[in-house]
Amino acid sequence: MEPEPYAYQKLMADQIRILHVRAATTWHEEISCHLITVSLEDSPQFEALSYVWGDAKDTFSIQLKGGVLPVTRNLEAAIRRLRMKTEERVIWIDQLCINQADAAEKSIQVAMMPRIYKSCKEVILWLGEIEAVNEITVEDALTCNT
């Protein structure tokens, strides 16, 4: 039986969704999350992820409380790397926290992004997995002599 797609609830003015990523002790453990709706006026505590989406056609389904949502493989890798071993990570990620199928919501939320990033306690930058590592020393990396 095919899992149900996640059904987003409508947002009110000044609201955003924040993703709670369940802790995992291994890379291969299923990604399990839930979304919470909050008002930026309440000064919620969260991190934000700035990342490269990657190929929109290459997706992986993650479990959200209430259904599943496809995410790009690059975001899947980011979530796997960033989830903690013993506690939930609370993070805003545009691909999941904004209903990508709702053009009106996307427009409003994209306009709020500067405020979202200013409101978070930390921004995490994710460019992707390292596919091939050349043998360089720390000294080479610091002096850019490769």
Side-chain angles (χ1 to χ4, degrees):
M1 188 164 121
E2 193 75 18
E4 288 290 316
Y6 183 77
Y8 284 97
Q9 301 298 314
K10 289 283 185 195
L11 294 174
M12 304 299 278
D14 208 48
Q15 287 184 328
I16 64 169
R17 295 181 192 92
I18 298 177
L19 186 70
H20 289 244
V21 181
R22 192 171 59 187
T25 56
T26 67
W27 173 269
H28 297 288
E29 202 170 319
E30 179 180 71
I31 296 173
S32 181
C33 314
H34 64 277
L35 288 167
I36 301 291
T37 300
V38 298
S39 170
L40 287 176
E41 292 298 316
D42 294 334
S43 302
Q45 294 294 299
F46 65 98
E47 298 168 300
L49 181 64
S50 179
Y51 65 103
V52 177
W53 273 48
D55 184 353
K57 294 176 185 167
D58 186 13
T59 63
F60 176 85
S61 291
I62 65 166
Q63 294 291 323
L64 277 168
K65 191 175 183 179
V68 296
L69 271 177
V71 297
T72 61
R73 288 288 179 172
N74 194 45
L75 181 53
E76 173 210 1
I79 293 171
R80 286 188 187 281
R81 290 278 181 218
L82 294 172
R83 64 186 170 176
M84 297 183 210
K85 290 186 178 190
T86 59
E87 60 187 81
E88 269 188 345
R89 176 159 241 148
V90 181
I91 191 165
W92 181 87
I93 304 172
D94 61 352
Q95 197 175 137
L96 290 167
C97 295
I98 299 173
N99 182 352
Q100 300 299 319
D102 183 336
E105 177 179 310
K106 270 192 345 187
S107 177
I108 293 166
Q109 292 285 298
V110 167
M112 288 176 63
M113 285 172 73
R115 191 164 163 225
I116 292 168
Y117 281 107
K118 285 179 186 173
S119 298
C120 72
K121 64 181 178 180
E122 183 174 70
V123 176
I124 301 166
L125 177 63
W126 176 263
L127 299 177
E129 292 285 350
I130 297 174
E131 301 216 6
V133 178
N134 294 327
E135 287 190 33
I136 62 170
T137 65
V138 171
E139 185 176 302
D140 288 336
L142 293 174
T143 60
C144 298
N145 294 326
T146 58

